Amino acid sequence: MHEALVAPFLEFGFMQRALLGALMLSIGAGPVGVFLMLRRMSLTGDAMAHAILPGAAAGFLLYGLELVPMTIGGLVAGAVVALGAGAVSRLTVQKEDASMAAFYLIALSVGVVMVSMRGSSIDLMHVLFGTVLALNGDALTLIGLVAAITLTTMLVFRRALIAECLDPLFLRSVSRLGSPVHFIFLGLVVLNLVAGFQALGTLLSVGLMVLPAAAARFWANRVETMCLIAMAIGVLASVSGLLLSYHFSLPSGPAIILSAGLAYAVSVLVGARGLLTTLRPHTSHRIA
């Protein structure tokens, strides 16, 4: 048991760095995913993950696989897509989901073309799917900083975030925090996607954000409890995914997301609010 579960993380430095990065991503992205789900914006998170690709690709074209240029480019691209899609939805007849879909499809296509112009298929795979086993000190520092900023910001604006999930119109009527909190939250989404991009790539970075949060919904009602459960599921998925990758020579990023997907499937079936509980016949204790 020790050889299978513990030894890989004790013997290899790359496994330790991968585990540390995945754990910090889980802790930072889990609560963000819960609020995405409560706002019914889970697919928006997926769209934003694709939206950062052109910026990261621009950094790659200019400086290669360097952390800082690709990170700055991803942040800029994510902000442009978020603001652009929001402006289109507010100034035209098109709804936000349609404008976001249009923007992210264009961004994804532009990003893939930009990477292909200079890089090889290996570089494209790195950008799209990440290399969690190749995380270095700079990447870990970025991920840790993003996780710290995320948790601090969510603690400070916790009540406003919850209020906007429940009744955004009421929040805007009684407080000036309505619109600022919305954009602060979108900023946290982009930050965590950019951090996750280093480990999981643009296509999978949203996985540790959405899947643990969706699974946590089947176990709790309170927002705080859901956030803690989402973080715990993300941690378990990270550990199990890395172990599967090590023992069975699987790609590490997809293995982590598949582990989170398995946790979601189990939660759907046997969670406190899952299918088996919902479909179980309720016995009546009435006295005739």
Side-chain angles (χ1 to χ4, degrees), residues 80-99:
V80 168
V81 169
L83 293 175
V88 169
S89 66
R90 284 167 174 77
L91 300 177
T92 70
V93 297
Q94 193 167 64
K95 299 296 183 183
E96 189 169 13
D97 59 339
S99 61

Side-chain angles (χ1 to χ4, degrees), residues 65-86:
L65 294 173
E66 294 291 333
L67 176 65
V68 174
M70 293 180 72
T71 299
I72 294 175
L75 287 172
V76 172
V80 168
V81 169
L83 293 175

